[in-house]
Each structure stands twice: as C-alpha cells, then as structure tokens.
Amino acid sequence: MEIFKFFYFINLLSTFILSSSSSLAIDPYSQALLSLKSELIDNDNSLHDWVVPSGGNLAKSGSSYACSWSGIKCNKDSNVTSIDLSMKKLGGVLSGKQLSVFTEVIDFNLSNNLFSGKLPPEIFNLTNLKSLDIDTNNFSGQFPKGISKLKSLVVFDAWENNFSGQLPAEFSELENLKILNLYGNSFSGSIPSEYGSFRSLESLLLAANSLTGSIPPELGNLKTVTSMEIGSNSYQGFIPPQLGNMSQLQNLEIADANLSGSIPKELFSLTNLQILFLSINQLTGSIPSEFSKIKLLTFLDLSDNLLSGSIPESFSELKSLIILSLGSNDMSGIVPEGIAELPSLEFLLISHNRFSGSLPKSLGKNSKLKSVDVSVNNFNGSIPPSICQATQLSYFSVSYNMQLGGNIPSQIWSMPQLQNFSAYSCGILGNLPSFESCKSISTIRLGRNNLSGTIPKSVSKCQALMIIELSDNNLTGQIPEELAYIPILEIVDLSNNNFNGLIPEKFGSSSSLKLLNVSFNNISGSIPEELADIPILESVDLSNNNLNGLIPEKFGSSSSSIPKGKSFKLMDTSAFVGNSELCGVPLRPCIKSVGILGSTNTWKLTHILLLSVGLLIILMVLGFGILHFKKGFESRWKMISFVGLPQFTPNDVLTSFNVVAAEHTEVTKAVLPTGITVLVKKIEWETRSIKLVSEFIMRLGNAARHKNLIRLLGFCYNQQLVYLLYDYLPNGNLAEKIGMEWDWSGKFRTIVGIARGLCFLHHECYPAIPHGDLNSTNVVFDEDMEPHLAEFGFKHVIELSKGSSPTTTKQETEYNESMEEELGSDVYNFGKMILEILTGRRLTSAAANIHSKSHETLLREVYNDNEVTSASSMEEIKLVLEVAMLCTRSRSSDRPSMEDALKLLSVKNF
C-alpha cells in the first residue's frame, strides 16, 4: 500500500512541474491574447492558429508565440505593435481585462465583426494608439469616458455601431486626431460646440445619428477640415453662415437634416469645395447665382427641398460639374442652354419641378451624359435629336411632360449604352423608330402617348430588352411574334391600342415572360393554350377584345392541373371580361351544340325533351311561389343575389341572424341555410334614395369583381333598411397585423395585392369607383392570406342613401366632380399604408414621417425592422419605399395614378 502512495505522489509532482514549466514558457502577450480568444465567438475558427505548440519551447529568449499568429504584428523586440482582427466574423462581449499588457500597440482594429455590448474603457489605456478602428460592429450604450488619454490618436473610426447618448465632448481634446468617424450610430442631443476647437482634424463624420438642436456655428473654426458629413439627423434652424470660413473644405454633406431657410451666400467663399449635398431638407428661396464662384464644384445635390426660381445662367460656368441634382423642388423657368454644354456633366436630374419651355437643343451633344431625368415637368417642344450623340447615356426619362409632343428621335435605339428610355404620358406623336441597330436597351416606356403605326418587326434585334410598355396609344396591326424571340423579355404591356389579329402562339415558347397585357384592343381568335406553359408567367390580361372560344383550363380552373414549380397565378374574371364570344371558367359556361336526328354531338333528343319537361315543372312551381310570396313576407322585403350566392329568399337571409339585434349594430355575421358564413352590413336609407342606392349597389356587385376585392354577394332590403351580404374572411385585417412579426415576402405580397385591387377600382371600372375609406382596417385576409379590400364604394353608398335630391343626374354630377379628389386621396392612403407595413406602426401623418428623414435613413431603418439581408428583398423594399414617397406627395397632381403605382411595383425596376 505504501508503494502505491509513493508512485501517486511522484505522478502528481511530475504533473505540477510540467504544468508550471509550460505556463512559464507562455509570454504575457500570448497569455493575454489566449484569454481574449476565450471570450470570443469564433464560429469560422478564424483564430485557429492562436495556439501554443504542445511541449514547444520559445525560439529565443524574450520572443513571443503571438508574433506568428494571424492579425498580430510585432517589432524587432517582439513587442506587439498591431492587433488586426478585422473581417473575421468574431462576436461576443469584450471585458478589456487583457489589454493592459499591450503598451506598445499603435494600431488596434476590430472592424467588420459582430462584437456587442459596451466598449470596454480599458481600451483607452493603450496610450500609444494612433489608430482605433471598431467600425461595423454592434457596440452599444453610452460611449465610455477616457478617450482623451489617447494623446497620439490620429484615426478613430466607429462607423455603423449603436452608441447612444450625447456625443463625447472630450474628443476635441485629441490634438493629433485627423479622422473622427461616428457615422451611423444612435447618438442624440446637439453637436458639442467644443467640436469647433479641433486643431488637426481633417474629416468629421457624424451623419446618420439622431442628433438634434442647431448646428453650432463654432464648426466654422475648423480650418483644417476637408470633409464634413453631418446629415441624416434632425436639426433645427438654418445652415450656419460661419461654415463659409472652413477654407479647406472640399466635401460638405448636410442632406436629410431638417434644415430650413435659404442657402447662405457665405458658402460661396468655399473655393476648394468639390462636393455639396444639401438634399432632403426644407430649404427655401432661389438658388443664388454666386454658385459659379465655386469653380471646382463637381457634385451638387439640392434635390427634395422647397427651392423656387430658375436655374441660374451662371451654372454654365461650372465646367467641372459632374452631377447636377435639383429634383423634387418647386423650381420653374427654362433650363439654360449652357447646362447642356457643360463638358463634364454626367448626371442631369431635375425631375418633379415646374420647368417649362423646350429642352436644351444641344442636350447630349457636348457632354458625357450618363443619366438624364427631366420627368414630371412642363416641358414642350420635342426630344432634341442631339440626345442620340450622348454615347454614354444609359438612363433617359422625360415622362409626364404632357405637352412635350414631337417624334421620337430616329436614332434613339442605336445609342450604344442606353438601357432605360422612358417617355410615359408626353403626347409623343409619330411611329416607333426602327430597331435595326438596337443594342443595349432593356426598358422602353412609351405609354399614354399618341403613337401610331405598327411595332417594327426589327424589335427582335433588341436582345437585351426586358420591359416594353406601349399602352394607351394608337398603335395598329398585329402583335409581332418577333417579341417572343427576345430571350429575357419579362413585361409586355400593349393595352389600350388598336391591335388586331391573333395572339402569337410563339409567346408560349418564352421562358422569361412574367406579364402580358393586351387588354382593350381588337384582338380576335382563340386564346393560345401555350401561354399557360410559360414557366414564370404571373399575370395575363386579355380583357376587352374580340376573343372567342373556350378559355384554356389552365387559365380559368382552380382545379386544373398546373405543373409543379410554376409561379403562374390563377386568372380571375377581370382577365377575360369584355370578350363577348369567350366562354369557360371563370366566365360563363360554354353552351355545347345540340345533336338532333342522329347527330354525333353530345346531347340526344331525349335529353332535350326531359330537360324541357323539367324546366316546365320548375316554372310552374316558381309561378305558384311568386303568387304566394306576393301576399306574404316579400311584400315587405326583397332579396337580390349576385354571382357567388345561391338564390336565397329574404326569409332565408333574415332568419339567419337576429334582425332586432342587427338593427342596433352596423355589422353582424350570419350563417345561411347552405352553411355559408357571410358578413352582414346594415344601411338605413330613405324611400326617395332607394333607386339610386340600389343601382350603385348593383354596380358594386356585378362589376367590381377582382381577387383583391371582397365579394359583395347580395343585398336584402325593405323601405327603411338594407343588409349588404359580403364574403366572410376569417384571418383578420391589416390593422391587426401591423406591429406583429411578419416576413417580408408576406408584406410585399400584401402591398401588391392592395395595389391590384385599388387599380381595378380606379382603372377597370367604368366610371371609376374610388374606395373612399382606404385604411388598414379595411384590408382583410382570406385563408391563403391574400389581401382583399373591404368597404370600397361604401362611403358613396352612405352619401347616396342620405341624399336630398331624387334625381339621378344631380347625384352623378356631384359624384363626378369629387371623383379626382377621391382617387387622389385613395393613392395617398395607399402610400400611407405602405409606410405602416414597412415600419410596423400606424401613422398619423404619412408625408411628415417619410419626408422628414433621408431616403438612406429610412431604408436602413426599414431593412432593420424587416430583418432582410438578401439583395432581392432589399431591392423590393427600396422600390416599395420609392412608391410610398410618390404616393404621399402633398400635391395630388404629383402623385402617380394607381395604374402607374402598380406598374412600378410589378416591374421592380423603378
């Protein structure tokens, strides 16, 4: 037994000695870094080489294992001088307890990781630091005190974290600091006036925080600063004229900052200024002609303000100007010819103003233009042919210049870089130019013009074409099958023209087509069944033509066999209406020919005789029934049923719910005899209004049929009350979903569904039907979470039921007079609902909320709120936000129609 004790003691002693010798071999730097590693979350094993070799010895006395580890640099004395852990996907909360040994470190980089929690103040004990980079992490809380101890610090970068509280004034004590980057945090309060006392600062980046108060005039004392970006905050007051004293300033960005007042003339003393961004504010007054003094100016963005007046003639002296962005103001007058002759100009963006006169005749001739957007103005004349000389032009939009007119330049499709050509609603005349030299064009928007002639067959040369939109013109001839030869074509909208002939069967061979709209033409023949074989086809509108025959089952039958994996959406009635000779689901059944006297057709004579006898019996029963009910219950109540509801009697409906209770409530539920659950809505009316109201309700029930509208199934009425019967949808309304967890795909589907329903009411009902009360409580969901608009037209029903005039003429006149206002209100409310869906909260003032923040800030907030990371989802959010901004413009005339809004959402290429 004693000998076992002896060996146990020897083993224990050996383990202790080996452990001690191993720990003695690990230098303080390696020990500290291994301790730091133990705190980190390293799912990618980025620090796999941070290990001490088993039984290894130091290479020489005083050396460090850490000097060979990734991200670590040492000097000749084996002292760690640089720790670079950037872009390693590391996470965790840092304690800072290991940092005291790194007294020689001059560069500490933790950027582009996933660190969270508070920044440890121990980091400020590294008093030799010259560069401290913690950008793109999630450090939070108030910024710790003590950074003034870093007397040698030259660069501090905390871009895109989540620091909050006041901006630390002690930054100004760092005499050697050249770069202070606090962009994209959550700092609040005012910019400290002490920030005007930096001695060496060259770059001050405070944008995209939650800063308030006025911009301190002391910032004008920063004589060494070359770049100051302090926008995307919410200041009060004006641009301090003292900023004109920043003699070395090259870049000034105060966009999206809630600034008001005029542009101070003192800024024109900044002769070194190259970039000036003052967009998305509330700046007023005209643009001073003194801008011409800033000869080096290359980027000028004054868009989204309240500026008025004209473009100064002196702008033609800005020979270095690359970007001129003045869009979304209240500017007017003509565009000086000298603007088009600026030798360096690449971007001319002046949309959404009131500019008039002709476009500069030399536009494109002497410039390097890449993008021109002059849409939504009052230009007249025509598109200058010189635009075709802009060999680098990729985007050109003159849309919504109603008086522009003229012809499309004949060489427009030959431009080597042109991708997007938009001249929607411009009054353009003439024929479409030949597409023989078509090279790069991907989007053509020429809807709502006066184009005539045919689509040239040479359109097949446009192999990059994705969108062709030629709706609402006077185009004739047949739809060229050459369109089907374009390999990536996604959108074809030829609606509201005079096309004739057949729908080309070749479309069925397309593998890219998503939308095909040929409604309101003179197209005849049958519907090619091949259309349903297009693999990603989402929407087809063939309505209001001269089509005949049977609708292919794949289009109309919900029970038909659609191949798996297809995103093809079942087409409802709206896609086929207005073709009197067309039949089959979802329209009326086709009446098959009757075979008599040995015919080989479906029915025999015996079937006809049996059917006739059956019909005679039914007619007799109905006759007795009518006589009976005229004396009874129906002398007081009447029932009208629309498609979707069996022919119930008033008694069937009224006994399905408590009439007495219903008379005291606006809405109730009822289960009809067949088991159908309906929503019953009560209206009180006066006898003199019965005819008007019932006619309008009949219109709502028969014409307003769309998959994104709740169905009006029928109505039951007497001389005092009307009960409207709607589909009962079980999954609640949009107001209940706002603020709840909800994936982005569901949100986007809801937004597009609302747009489709509203577009149908506005543009496919004649006359249009304004919703009248569009809000989140009036959007309800079915079993598949498809949105349906409820209570559309109900406001007008109420107005009619209380009307004092018994004449139809007066009521219709009053209705037409308020039509445009109601339609514009619908568009605004649609934009407001988009914002509610995006932000997850109800809004009281949509325009104030959206236009008080920068586009970038809103995008960042919405990306975060919706937790999206994929590029496609981000692109959809960006698009939806743009549509919301358009729809919530304060002037109704500046808002798009619902048809245009839906096109923007459908095309995904705003």
Side-chain angles (χ1 to χ4, degrees):
M1 182 62 70
E2 294 297 325
I3 192 169
F4 286 111
K5 289 183 179 180
F6 173 77
F7 281 115
Y8 176 76
F9 174 76
I10 293 297
N11 183 54
L12 187 63
L13 182 61
S14 300
T15 303
F16 174 76
I17 293 171
L18 288 173
S19 175
S20 299
S21 62
S22 176
S23 63
L24 288 173
I26 301 179
D27 60 282
Y29 294 134
S30 301
Q31 282 184 327
L33 290 173
L34 289 175
S35 174
L36 174 62
K37 179 181 178 181
S38 69
E39 293 180 353
L40 305 181
I41 299 171
D42 184 8
N43 292 329
D44 286 0
N45 199 22
S46 300
L47 305 180
H48 61 89
D49 62 338
W50 283 27
V51 293
V52 174
S54 176
N57 294 317
L58 298 179
K60 62 181 179 178
S61 177
S63 64
S64 170
Y65 290 114
C67 293
S68 63
W69 295 349
S70 59
I72 306 301
K73 291 183 180 179
C74 300
N75 60 17
K76 62 181 181 180
D77 297 323
S78 295
N79 294 319
V80 175
T81 58
S82 175
I83 302 174
D84 185 357
L85 302 181
S86 61
M87 303 182 70
K88 294 184 181 296
K89 299 182 181 178
L90 301 173
V93 177
L94 303 179
S95 68
K97 64 184 180 181
Q98 311 89 350
L99 301 179
S100 59
V101 300
F102 298 104
T103 55
E104 303 297 320
V105 169
I106 61 174
D107 182 5
F108 193 22
N109 192 340
L110 301 174
S111 65
N112 291 277
N113 281 294
L114 304 168
F115 294 119
S116 58
K118 294 186 177 182
L119 185 70
E122 289 83 358
I123 206 169
F124 303 143
N125 293 326
L126 308 180
T127 53
N128 282 316
L129 275 181
K130 290 185 178 181
S131 175
L132 177 56
D133 190 347
I134 59 172
D135 82 76
T136 317
N137 280 287
N138 195 30
F139 289 114
S140 59
Q142 292 193 345
F143 195 84
K145 294 180 179 180
I147 197 168
S148 59
K149 293 188 290 185
L150 303 181
K151 299 300 182 182
S152 301
L153 196 65
V154 176
V155 175
F156 179 70
D157 189 348
W159 188 83
E160 288 287 353
N161 278 275
N162 197 28
F163 291 114
S164 58
Q166 300 284 322
L167 286 171
E170 65 174 321
F171 274 114
S172 62
E173 300 176 30
L174 301 174
E175 296 184 358
N176 295 301
L177 193 66
K178 291 185 178 180
I179 296 175
L180 177 58
N181 188 352
L182 302 176
Y183 180 101
N185 282 275
S186 299
F187 288 111
S188 57
S190 301
I191 299 174
S193 59
E194 290 89 342
Y195 280 20
S197 62
F198 284 107
R199 295 185 180 182
S200 305
L201 197 67
E202 296 177 0
S203 181
L204 178 62
L205 308 177
L206 306 176
N209 278 279
S210 299
L211 300 176
T212 56
S214 58
I215 297 174
E218 288 83 358
L219 294 184
N221 298 326
L222 298 174
K223 304 293 185 180
T224 58
V225 168
T226 60
S227 179
M228 184 166 74
E229 299 181 14
I230 58 175
S232 297
N233 286 293
S234 188
Y235 305 116
Q236 287 82 47
F238 311 100
I239 300 172
Q242 290 84 353
L243 299 187
N245 297 325
M246 301 175 70
S247 56
Q248 298 301 311
L249 199 61
Q250 299 175 17
N251 172 23
L252 177 59
E253 186 276 309
I254 326 180
D256 182 25
N258 197 41
L259 296 172
S260 56
S262 59
I263 300 172
K265 294 185 178 181
E266 286 79 1
L267 293 186
F268 310 129
S269 300
L270 302 175
T271 54
N272 289 308
L273 198 63
Q274 298 175 27
I275 299 172
L276 179 60
F277 286 168
L278 298 175
S279 60
I280 318 177
N281 282 292
Q282 300 176 46
L283 300 176
T284 55
S286 58
I287 298 176
S289 61
E290 288 84 353
F291 259 113
S292 60
K293 295 180 180 179
I294 312 176
K295 300 297 184 182
L296 299 178
L297 196 62
T298 56
F299 298 160
L300 176 61
D301 189 351
L302 304 176
S303 62
D304 285 276
N305 277 286
L306 303 173
L307 297 171
S308 56
S310 59
I311 300 175
E313 290 278 353
S314 61
F315 269 30
S316 59
E317 300 174 27
L318 298 174
K319 304 299 183 181
S320 300
L321 201 61
I322 295 174
I323 294 177
L324 177 59
S325 179
L326 306 174
S328 298
N329 278 286
D330 193 30
M331 299 182 68
S332 57
I334 64 171
V335 177
E337 189 70 29
I339 297 295
E341 297 173 357
L342 291 172
S344 301
L345 193 66
E346 296 180 8
F347 296 85
L348 178 61
L349 310 173
I350 58 174
S351 66
H352 292 85
N353 279 285
R354 294 187 292 115
F355 293 118
S356 57
S358 300
L359 291 168
K361 294 180 181 179
S362 58
L363 186 63
K365 187 175 182 180
N366 298 316
S367 70
K368 303 173 182 178
L369 286 176
K370 294 180 179 178
S371 181
V372 174
D373 189 350
V374 298
S375 59
V376 195
N377 278 288
N378 299 316
F379 289 113
N380 54 38
S382 60
I383 298 172
S386 59
I387 196 66
C388 297
Q389 299 178 39
T391 56
Q392 297 184 46
L393 190 68
S394 63
Y395 181 90
F396 184 65
S397 177
V398 294
S399 293
Y400 296 102
N401 285 280
M402 312 298 185
Q403 305 302 317
L404 191 61
N407 296 326
I408 300 171
S410 60
Q411 300 300 312
I412 196 73
W413 313 131
S414 303
M415 297 176 67
Q417 301 296 327
L418 187 63
Q419 297 179 23
N420 191 315
F421 178 75
S422 180
Y424 190 86
S425 191
C426 290
I428 289 177
L429 305 166
N431 297 338
L432 285 169
S434 171
F435 293 95
E436 284 295 336
S437 300
C438 185
K439 295 181 179 179
S440 58
I441 192 74
S442 64
T443 300
I444 298 174
R445 298 185 192 281
L446 286 166
R448 288 193 183 178
N449 284 293
N450 296 310
L451 292 169
S452 55
T454 62
I455 299 177
K457 292 186 177 182
S458 57
V459 71
S460 62
K461 303 282 187 180
C462 301
Q463 292 292 288
L465 191 62
M466 297 176 65
I467 300 163
I468 183 167
E469 197 275 298
L470 300 172
S471 64
D472 297 275
N473 280 285
N474 298 310
L475 296 170
T476 57
Q478 297 188 6
I479 297 173
E481 68 175 21
E482 284 76 8
L483 284 170
Y485 302 147
I486 301 174
I488 59 174
L489 190 63
E490 295 182 359
I491 309 294
V492 177
D493 188 350
L494 307 178
S495 59
N496 284 279
N497 280 284
N498 296 308
F499 290 111
N500 54 38
L502 308 176
I503 299 173
E505 293 181 3
K506 290 289 185 180
F507 275 130
S509 62
S510 171
S511 60
S512 59
L513 197 63
K514 293 181 179 179
L515 180 149
L516 175 64
N517 188 347
V518 294
S519 61
F520 291 93
N521 280 286
N522 297 312
I523 298 170
S524 57
S526 59
I527 300 173
E529 189 167 343
E530 291 83 356
L531 289 183
D533 294 327
I534 301 175
I536 60 173
L537 190 63
E538 295 178 358
S539 177
V540 177
D541 192 343
L542 311 175
S543 62
N544 295 281
N545 280 287
N546 297 316
L547 296 169
N548 55 45
L550 176 66
I551 298 171
E553 285 189 0
K554 291 181 180 180
F555 285 141
S557 174
S558 59
S559 61
S560 63
S561 177
I562 304 296
K564 291 182 179 180
K566 292 184 64 175
S567 61
F568 183 76
K569 298 178 181 178
L570 296 178
M571 298 167 63
D572 58 21
T573 308
S574 63
F576 304 104
V577 295
N579 292 281
S580 59
E581 300 301 317
L582 203 59
C583 62
V585 176
L587 299 180
R588 59 182 174 82
C590 293
I591 301 175
K592 297 181 180 179
S593 57
V594 178
I596 303 178
L597 300 176
S599 170
T600 59
N601 285 327
T602 306
W603 281 6
K604 301 295 182 180
L605 182 60
T606 53
H607 294 91
I608 300 172
L609 293 174
L610 289 173
L611 179 61
S612 300
V613 173
L615 287 174
L616 181 60
I617 295 171
I618 292 171
L619 288 173
M620 292 175 64
V621 172
L622 287 175
F624 285 115
I626 290 171
L627 290 175
H628 172 75
F629 281 110
K630 278 185 178 180
K631 296 180 181 180
F633 187 78
E634 276 200 306
S635 62
R636 292 179 289 116
W637 287 92
K638 294 183 179 180
M639 178 71 203
I640 294 179
S641 299
F642 303 120
V643 176
L645 188 71
Q647 298 297 315
F648 292 122
T649 66
N651 188 45
D652 292 330
V653 173
L654 296 173
T655 56
S656 299
F657 63 96
N658 189 327
V659 178
V660 176
E663 289 182 359
H664 299 281
T665 59
E666 294 296 327
V667 182
T668 187
K669 272 198 315 183
V671 180
L672 298 178
T674 58
I676 299 174
T677 302
V678 297
L679 196 69
V680 181
K681 196 167 182 66
K682 183 196 72 173
I683 299 174
E684 296 180 3
W685 61 7
E686 299 178 9
T687 304
R688 57 186 174 182
S689 66
I690 289 178
K691 184 176 185 295
L692 277 176
V693 178
S694 59
E695 286 177 352
F696 186 71
I697 294 174
M698 290 285 289
R699 185 167 163 238
L700 293 179
N702 288 320
R705 294 278 173 163
H706 188 272
K707 71 176 182 179
N708 294 113
L709 300 178
I710 193 169
R711 286 193 306 172
L712 177 58
L713 301 174
F715 63 105
C716 185
Y717 67 96
N718 63 13
Q719 297 296 309
Q720 291 80 36
L721 294 175
V722 183
Y723 291 113
L724 301 179
L725 277 63
Y726 292 96
D727 269 332
Y728 174 71
L729 302 185
N731 279 332
N733 60 44
L734 179 58
E736 297 168 350
K737 290 185 68 65
I738 290 174
M740 297 172 59
E741 290 293 331
W742 194 10
D743 64 277
W744 168 245
S745 62
K747 291 182 179 182
F748 186 68
R749 177 187 181 190
T750 298
I751 290 169
V752 173
I754 295 170
R756 285 174 176 160
L758 205 55
C759 182
F760 180 84
L761 290 173
H762 285 200
H763 301 284
E764 298 187 43
C765 294
Y766 300 95
I769 301 175
H771 186 287
D773 188 23
L774 188 65
N775 60 67
S776 54
T777 61
N778 285 333
V779 176
V780 293
F781 296 93
D782 61 17
E783 295 86 349
D784 299 321
M785 295 309 297
E786 183 73 25
H788 297 250
L789 301 186
E791 298 207 5
F792 54 87
F794 192 74
K795 178 182 176 183
H796 188 57
V797 171
I798 298 297
E799 290 171 352
L800 288 177
S801 66
K802 297 179 179 178
S804 57
S805 173
T807 62
T808 303
T809 303
K810 183 175 180 180
Q811 294 287 353
E812 289 180 349
T813 300
E814 292 174 353
Y815 181 56
N816 291 332
E817 287 175 353
S818 63
M819 177 76 74
E820 290 301 319
E821 181 180 347
E822 291 284 354
L823 296 178
S825 180
D826 279 356
V827 174
Y828 181 90
N829 288 331
F830 172 64
K832 181 180 175 182
M833 276 200 296
I834 291 179
L835 296 179
E836 292 179 344
I837 293 170
L838 288 178
T839 61
R841 56 186 179 273
R842 303 290 294 277
L843 302 178
T844 55
S845 177
N849 275 273
I850 193 170
H851 297 295
S852 64
K853 296 182 179 181
S854 75
H855 192 54
E856 292 78 9
T857 301
L858 280 169
L859 274 177
R860 187 173 67 253
E861 291 178 356
V862 173
Y863 288 158
N864 291 336
D865 289 343
N866 293 277
E867 298 181 351
V868 296
T869 55
S870 69
S872 61
S873 295
M874 287 183 175
E875 193 63 29
E876 285 176 349
I877 285 180
K878 183 179 179 181
L879 167 71
V880 167
L881 186 58
E882 292 282 0
V883 172
M885 292 177 72
L886 290 172
C887 291
T888 55
R889 288 193 174 276
S890 56
R891 292 186 300 192
S892 180
S893 59
D894 289 343
R895 300 171 199 157
S897 67
M898 277 311 304
E899 185 176 42
D900 294 337
L902 179 58
K903 285 177 180 177
L904 292 175
L905 291 170
S906 300
V907 169
K908 301 183 182 179
N909 188 27
F910 180 68

